[in-house]
Amino acid sequence: MMTAQAMTPRKDAGIRFDAVGKFFGTHKVLDGITLDVPKAMTTCLIGPSGSGKSTLLRCANLLERPQEGAIFVDGTEITDSKVDLDKLRTRIGMVFQHFNLFSHLSVMDNVTLALRKVHGMKRDEAEAVAFRELEAVGLKGFERRRPSALSGGQQQRVAIARALAMKPEVMLFDEATSALDPELVKGILEVMRDLARSGITMLVVTHEMRFAREVAGQVVFMDQGKIVEQGSPDRMFDAPESPRLRYFLDQVL
Amino acid sequence: MSIGLERIQETFFDPVILWHSLETLVVIGLPNTILLSVLASLIGMAFGLLIATGLMASTVFVRFPCRVYVDILRGLPHILTIYLIGQGLPLAGLSIFGRDTYSYAALAIGLIEGAYMAEIFRAGLQSVERGQIEAARTLGMSSAQAFFYIMLPQGVRRVLPPLTGQFILVIKGTSLVFLLGLTVSQREIFSIAQDTAINSANLSPLTAAGLLYLALTVPMTYGVNAWERRMRMGSRSAR
Ligand SMILES: Nc1ncnc2c1ncn2[C@@H]1O[C@H](COP(=O)(O)OP(=O)(O)OP(=O)(O)O)[C@@H](O)[C@H]1O
Ligand SMILES: [Mg+2]
């Protein structure tokens, strides 16, 4: 599905969370999170609603800033106040549950805007990149459409192409299929699976346990702001150790 | 009974005076009213957008003065503000426009409109989903870039109908500048009507002015309403 050309040139980086703590007011949403997200591998974050999965993901590109601990991307501490956030974020792509496409722009401009304004590409150069990325997610011929004229699945493909066009070293997915009609979920999971196989580092929050099992190199179970258990997908799903993970899997499987 | 009716007709609807005053109203008053409204609205939009971003600023030191500006200019009677700025500035030695009353009038109304338009712009800018701003930031755009390329174009587009509605209020508001004393060729609709009414000891010129204002404002009001309805329907089917 994804063309090799659109996927290859990418230097991979890992993420390390070191004793990360995050409060919203007095509510401690992340509590001493220490986690390695290895390079060139997919890590799936699972856990009940409100356990802090999205917040942890959003800390990885500092959409949320933790009050405790440190976060490293490719060995560089990003929680250091001297880090150029805008530059850092070009290395970390993010896909949201609700797509968050720029609704006043065409599909093409959604993908090229940051290439032009952040990477300083010329329009034709940026459009060449966008054509490749859009084709890779199966959206050839949709370039002139407005997001509102696309299905949810197509909108999410645009969002993925938009993120990948920046050639990130890491991709973050926050429940990328949760807002989609059931029949559209499979297609997006396929795109994500192909992407995972391309060898990019991925951190994926998902409720799709089958996807986690097939694609993840590591599964992390969170509950109440803490990592309760982590391991290989087979171990996590076949032999969960903690009662909380067992209970959670009982609920979702 | 019929005498009463006749007097009413003579006082407000004297056909000769009506027709006569309408000519000056259309030739001199109408262009001046429109020019003044457009100028004031442009000033108002520039100020409004600036103040709107100030109202959304994260620091109190920016937010507070902007809030005070909006509260004061929306809280004062327009006639008072126009008088204070239009007469006051030159009196206080701040003759930035020399003796051109017209410019002071445009500035005064523009400053007032800035306060109203600031609230309109702010509502529009804040209606842009935070997710889109976050998406822009995750792509490496600075907050200024996200503002200019994502928030501003969508926010402004969404408030075009209410802004046009505000323009209708400006058209009516320009009638207040008569009190600054305009030169003969600068008079807008109301000043001309008032002068002619005094000279002819008859109120028909004011009726003519009223008709002219209605000819401007009523179609625009309906246009804006239809526009808003279409935008609402468009956004519903789009989502
Ligand atoms: N901006 C915020 N302000 C205050 N509290 C917040 C904010 N964002 C999240 N929270 C709270 O933090 C906790 C964790 O939220 P988070 O969105 O990370 O959970 P989640 O695991 O992603 O849940 P879900 O599966 O429902 O998406 C929740 O209790 C939530 O209410
Ligand atoms: Mg979440």
Side-chain angles (χ1 to χ4, degrees):
Chain A
M1 175 146 214
M2 311 209 45
T3 63
Q5 198 185 15
M7 317 225 34
T8 35
R10 213 173 268 127
K11 186 186 86 214
D12 291 316
I15 312 171
R16 160 171 282 168
F17 298 90
D18 188 6
V20 167
K22 167 81 189 167
F23 297 85
F24 284 118
T26 54
H27 179 30
K28 191 156 199 185
V29 176
L30 295 179
D31 188 1
I33 299 279
T34 295
L35 173 68
D36 253 324
V37 178
K39 285 184 186 194
M41 187 205 266
T42 296
T43 296
C44 280
L45 267 180
I46 61 172
S49 181
S51 55
K53 306 180 298 292
S54 297
T55 307
L56 183 63
L57 199 71
R58 291 161 58 84
C59 282
N61 60 5
L62 294 192
L63 278 184
E64 306 285 359
R65 197 175 263 283
Q67 289 94 347
E68 298 172 350
I71 301 170
F72 301 83
V73 171
D74 206 20
T76 310
E77 183 182 345
I78 64 168
T79 34
D80 187 332
S81 57
K82 288 190 284 289
V83 164
D84 180 346
L85 269 188
D86 296 333
K87 205 162 167 204
L88 164 82
R89 290 195 179 116
T90 63
R91 299 166 53 197
I92 306 175
M94 184 159 187
V95 174
F96 302 84
Q97 180 174 355
H98 295 289
F99 328 132
N100 296 348
L101 294 183
F102 308 135
S103 49
H104 62 307
L105 298 179
S106 68
V107 165
M108 178 55 88
D109 288 345
N110 260 274
V111 181
T112 58
L113 183 67
L115 291 176
R116 290 183 281 126
K117 304 301 178 189
V118 178
H119 280 342
M121 283 189 189
K122 294 208 170 56
R123 184 176 280 277
D124 51 349
E125 199 185 343
E127 291 195 347
V129 174
F131 270 119
R132 276 206 304 277
E133 296 294 344
L134 286 168
E135 189 177 359
V137 294
L139 279 183
K140 199 180 160 84
F142 288 80
E143 293 83 5
R144 296 288 150 223
R145 292 229 199 156
R146 282 298 172 91
S148 57
L150 298 177
S151 75
Q154 289 165 337
Q155 289 189 51
Q156 196 59 297
R157 285 164 199 261
V158 177
I160 294 173
R162 177 176 70 178
L164 289 178
M166 299 298 285
K167 295 276 174 272
E169 298 149 36
V170 176
M171 280 292 285
L172 310 172
F173 287 85
D174 192 0
E175 298 194 35
T177 59
S178 291
L180 296 178
D181 293 335
E183 70 271 19
L184 300 174
V185 170
K186 230 181 113 198
I188 295 301
L189 290 180
E190 255 164 47
V191 171
M192 290 169 64
R193 186 177 299 127
D194 290 343
L195 189 59
R197 293 213 178 102
S198 80
I200 190 173
T201 308
M202 304 221 293
L203 182 55
V204 179
V205 174
T206 185
H207 289 301
E208 299 288 336
M209 295 303 147
R210 275 203 19 219
F211 173 84
R213 187 166 200 143
E214 279 172 45
V215 176
Q218 165 178 249
V219 175
V220 177
F221 172 65
M222 283 181 70
D223 194 15
Q224 295 179 3
K226 293 195 171 96
I227 293 177
V228 177
E229 199 172 334
Q230 71 189 87
S232 73
D234 288 344
R235 220 271 301 132
M236 293 284 282
F237 291 117
D238 293 336
E241 283 165 8
S242 61
R244 273 195 277 182
L245 174 56
R246 236 174 286 152
Y247 177 78
F248 175 73
L249 291 176
D250 275 346
Q251 303 295 305
V252 297
L253 291 180
Chain B
M1 189 70 192
S2 79
I3 290 175
L5 267 181
E6 244 168 66
R7 255 186 80 177
I8 289 176
Q9 195 233 313
E10 266 171 34
T11 313
F12 296 107
F13 301 100
D14 185 311
V16 181
I17 302 180
L18 254 182
W19 186 247
H20 207 76
S21 54
L22 206 53
E23 192 188 318
T24 334
L25 284 173
V26 171
V27 175
I28 298 174
L30 185 63
N32 277 334
T33 289
I34 292 178
L35 185 64
L36 191 56
S37 306
V38 169
L39 271 177
S41 292
L42 288 179
I43 296 173
M45 270 162 36
F47 263 91
L49 203 51
L50 205 68
I51 302 283
T53 52
L55 287 173
M56 299 188 306
S58 47
T59 48
V60 227
F61 301 105
V62 180
R63 219 165 46 229
F64 184 70
C66 290
R67 173 95 328 233
V68 169
Y69 177 90
V70 170
D71 286 348
I72 289 181
L73 281 151
R74 294 204 313 175
L76 289 176
H78 296 183
I79 197 164
L80 182 71
T81 312
I82 292 173
Y83 206 80
L84 280 179
I85 293 174
Q87 297 275 34
L89 282 189
L91 276 180
L94 299 166
S95 310
I96 31 180
F97 304 118
R99 307 193 45 171
D100 183 20
T101 329
Y102 207 73
S103 307
Y104 292 102
L107 177 67
I109 301 176
L111 289 177
I112 297 169
E113 289 312 315
Y116 288 91
M117 290 181 179
E119 290 287 21
I120 296 176
F121 277 126
R122 186 177 60 99
L125 293 172
Q126 285 182 336
S127 78
V128 178
E129 298 74 23
R130 226 188 71 196
Q132 289 193 43
I133 306 302
E134 286 187 347
R137 299 306 305 277
T138 62
L139 291 164
M141 285 186 227
S142 64
S143 56
Q145 285 177 319
F147 178 78
F148 279 110
Y149 299 127
I150 309 302
M151 211 179 193
L152 195 59
Q154 293 187 69
V156 168
R157 205 168 305 187
R158 287 175 201 187
V159 295
L160 283 179
L163 274 185
T164 316
Q166 193 63 32
F167 182 69
I168 298 171
L169 296 180
V170 180
I171 292 178
K172 293 188 284 182
T174 53
S175 61
L176 289 173
V177 306
F178 80 92
L179 77 135
L180 296 181
L182 299 160
T183 64
V184 175
S185 63
Q186 281 186 337
R187 290 176 305 168
E188 40 66 60
I189 295 176
F190 181 75
S191 321
I192 293 173
Q194 199 202 24
D195 290 353
T196 324
I198 290 169
N199 289 339
S200 58
N202 184 289
L203 293 183
S204 300
L206 289 168
T207 309
L211 292 175
L212 206 50
Y213 277 118
L214 290 177
L216 284 175
T217 54
V218 171
M220 282 180 76
T221 306
Y222 277 87
V224 168
N225 288 347
W227 190 4
E228 273 184 327
R229 239 184 348 264
R230 233 192 24 232
M231 269 180 71
R232 260 203 310 277
M233 269 160 37
S235 67
R236 196 180 308 147
S237 65
R239 261 152 223 260

